[in-house]
Amino acid sequence: MLTGWIGEWLNLLLRWAHLVIGAAWIGASFYFNWLNQHVRPPEGGAVAGLKGELWAVHGGAFYRVHKIDGAPEQLPSTLHWFKYEAYFTWVTGVLLLAATYWANARAYMLDTSSTALSPAAAVGVGVATLVVGWVVYDGLCRTLARRPTALALVGFAATTVLAWGLSQVLSDRAAYIHVGAMLGTCMAANVFFVIIPGQRAMVDAMVKGEAADVARGEAGALRSLHNNYLTFPVLFIMVSNHYPVTWGHPYNWALLAAISLFAIAIRHWQNLRGRGEDQRWLLAVGVLGILATAGVSRWPSAAVSLPAADGGDAVSMVEVQQIVARRCLTCHATRPTFEGLPEAPKGLVLESPEDIRRVAAQIHAQTIATQVMPLGNVTQMTEEERARLGQWLEATLAR
Ligand code: HEC
């Protein structure tokens, strides 16, 4: 594991690269979707060989795009392909996953409910999720190619079962991010193994004046459609990694399924609208559904939370320090004793009363509201301790 500031910088640069390249991939895919939905027959009447055209103004210049019917008479000397965005989004994503999770498996991939696994086994589960996920998905696409709705339902159910299964063996956060990484892997692999080779075969056939292989074209179209619908859920999963209110929830796999479904509804509304069908109810269902999910997500975690702290006997700073020393200082100390941690995570040291007071709100968010700290509860904080700490935090924060 790369430690210290070099490690931090590498991680930051990797994250930045992943974000920028991912934005380029998604931007290009959104743009081509939009383009396809907005090309119209040429204004002056039909033109042989032209399927449609579109005018746009951007950055002080006019652009005129032609959509060709079939293949052009002659291939231009430069033909742009869009693929490297997908490949490098995946490469940077896997490196980031490896640097953040696989290299720190003990701290990031395990929790008390999953201590049956060794850190190496947890990494194995993570890697297998990506590989097996793609193999199974690819197989399903081939067997159910003629039944796209059944395929979508099976895919959704399988992903939800995977999310549940992972949450049983890995830490909640690792389970969540690996579902996202598996879906992202399928998207990039779709481009690499199916869409681009199919497109290449089509270009070759057309240049030779032969008919393109219809089956390959259809397979590519199906994978593109999947990528289109997966964009929203995958982005949600990636971003929510920074929000314990999602993955820290006891039913995080169900939350993930619900949010994905509603995000897909919004995407479906967008797609239909592009075809001239404005089914606004889909948008309403998507937005209200996500809001409802956010609302409902408070409920079970509040229910499993603390035994009522009896207001009578106030919690002292000394008691708080004892709890923090027992349950947090293995990691949040100037010199952590937790194996593999060279320094306090995020530089958060909780050694003195001042340290604790200063970040009381953060501690409340992580330890009481969502209970994601202690990480994976590896230090086995008890309900009683959590209640006492919570009582002190609430009193302190109310002041
Ligand atoms: C096994 C190690 C470990 C233990 C034990 C642990 N933490 Fe953490 N803590 C972490 C790691 C790792 C992070 C960084 C998570 C991330 O990258 O978002 C973190 C992050 C935090 C943060 C968020 C800091 C920020 O800037 O985002 C708070 C607050 C926190 N811990 C409080 C606690 C408290 C309070 C306890 C004890 C009740 C505790 N932690 C126990 C490892 C631990």
Side-chain angles (χ1 to χ4, degrees):
M1 169 184 161
L2 275 168
T3 56
W5 67 271
I6 298 186
E8 287 265 300
W9 268 101
L10 279 179
N11 199 282
L12 169 59
L13 293 178
L14 211 50
R15 197 174 292 261
W16 177 58
H18 183 55
L19 199 76
V20 170
I21 302 168
W25 179 15
I26 292 156
S29 108
F30 278 18
Y31 177 70
F32 278 103
N33 260 313
W34 179 90
L35 205 59
N36 250 326
Q37 293 170 347
H38 289 84
V39 285
R40 297 282 177 269
E43 273 173 23
V47 176
L50 211 59
K51 218 170 185 174
E53 71 171 358
L54 175 137
W55 283 84
V57 60
H58 187 83
F62 288 93
Y63 294 82
R64 185 182 186 184
V65 179
H66 284 168
K67 183 172 176 180
I68 307 291
D69 193 7
E73 303 265 294
Q74 215 184 352
L75 271 195
S77 56
T78 332
L79 179 63
H80 295 285
W81 294 73
F82 292 81
K83 54 183 180 179
Y84 290 111
E85 298 89 341
Y87 304 162
F88 286 112
T89 302
W90 184 80
V91 170
T92 49
V94 168
L95 288 175
L96 193 57
L97 190 65
T100 314
Y101 285 86
W102 300 347
N104 305 298
R106 186 180 296 278
Y108 275 86
M109 293 189 69
L110 297 172
D111 62 28
T112 36
S113 62
S114 63
T115 37
L117 286 189
S118 68
V123 174
V125 169
V127 176
T129 298
L130 305 192
V131 178
V132 177
W134 161 250
V135 171
V136 169
Y137 162 75
D138 190 49
L140 283 174
C141 284
R142 287 166 202 277
T143 37
L144 291 176
R146 303 252 149 258
R147 305 176 58 197
T149 312
L151 176 58
L153 291 175
V154 171
F156 181 76
T159 307
T160 305
V161 170
L162 173 75
W164 174 81
L166 288 180
S167 75
Q168 304 302 302
V169 293
L170 300 179
S171 73
D172 292 333
R173 189 173 173 177
Y176 221 77
I177 198 77
H178 279 85
V179 173
M182 187 278 290
L183 294 174
T185 298
C186 289
M187 290 173 71
N190 273 341
V191 176
F192 186 79
F193 290 116
V194 182
I195 298 172
I196 291 291
Q199 219 155 274
R200 201 166 284 279
M202 179 194 77
V203 170
D204 290 346
M206 283 177 166
V207 167
K208 286 193 209 133
E210 295 164 3
D213 182 347
V214 178
R216 281 191 98 161
E218 282 175 359
L222 181 70
R223 306 301 177 103
S224 292
L225 188 71
H226 289 168
N227 281 7
N228 172 317
Y229 280 100
L230 284 175
T231 311
F232 281 10
V234 168
L235 284 178
F236 179 85
I237 297 173
M238 296 305 171
V239 176
S240 57
N241 195 238
H242 303 279
Y243 297 84
V245 282
T246 54
W247 51 265
H249 193 272
Y251 296 109
N252 58 359
W253 55 272
L255 218 68
L256 188 115
I259 296 272
S260 300
L261 209 57
F262 295 126
I264 287 171
I266 297 177
R267 193 80 182 109
H268 192 49
W269 163 74
Q270 262 190 333
N271 286 338
L272 288 180
R273 212 181 93 159
R275 283 193 251 141
E277 275 182 64
D278 198 357
Q279 304 276 5
R280 282 192 201 161
W281 64 273
L282 278 169
L283 176 64
V285 165
V287 172
L288 292 176
I290 288 176
L291 291 177
T293 310
V296 168
S297 77
R298 287 243 355 113
W299 148 67
S301 57
V304 291
S305 78
L306 319 169
D310 47 279
D313 119 61
V315 181
S316 70
M317 187 70 221
V318 173
E319 188 182 343
V320 167
Q321 265 193 292
Q322 282 166 349
I323 296 174
V324 168
R326 266 201 302 275
R327 309 302 179 194
C328 317
L329 288 193
T330 29
C331 299
H332 292 287
T334 327
R335 289 231 172 75
T337 48
F338 194 80
E339 200 188 316
L341 261 193
E343 56 202 34
K346 303 242 163 158
L348 187 75
V349 171
L350 300 175
E351 283 165 350
S352 70
E354 293 71 45
D355 290 336
I356 297 171
R357 273 204 195 90
R358 191 158 26 86
V359 293
Q362 269 169 289
I363 295 179
H364 188 273
Q366 304 267 341
T367 313
I368 309 301
T370 60
Q371 314 196 356
V372 295
M373 285 294 146
L375 202 63
N377 203 13
V378 289
T379 49
Q380 313 205 338
M381 186 172 202
T382 64
E383 289 280 291
E384 169 68 18
E385 285 169 334
R386 221 182 270 278
R388 300 291 289 169
L389 179 63
Q391 192 183 330
W392 179 83
L393 286 166
E394 269 146 34
T396 305
L397 291 169
R399 239 177 259 146

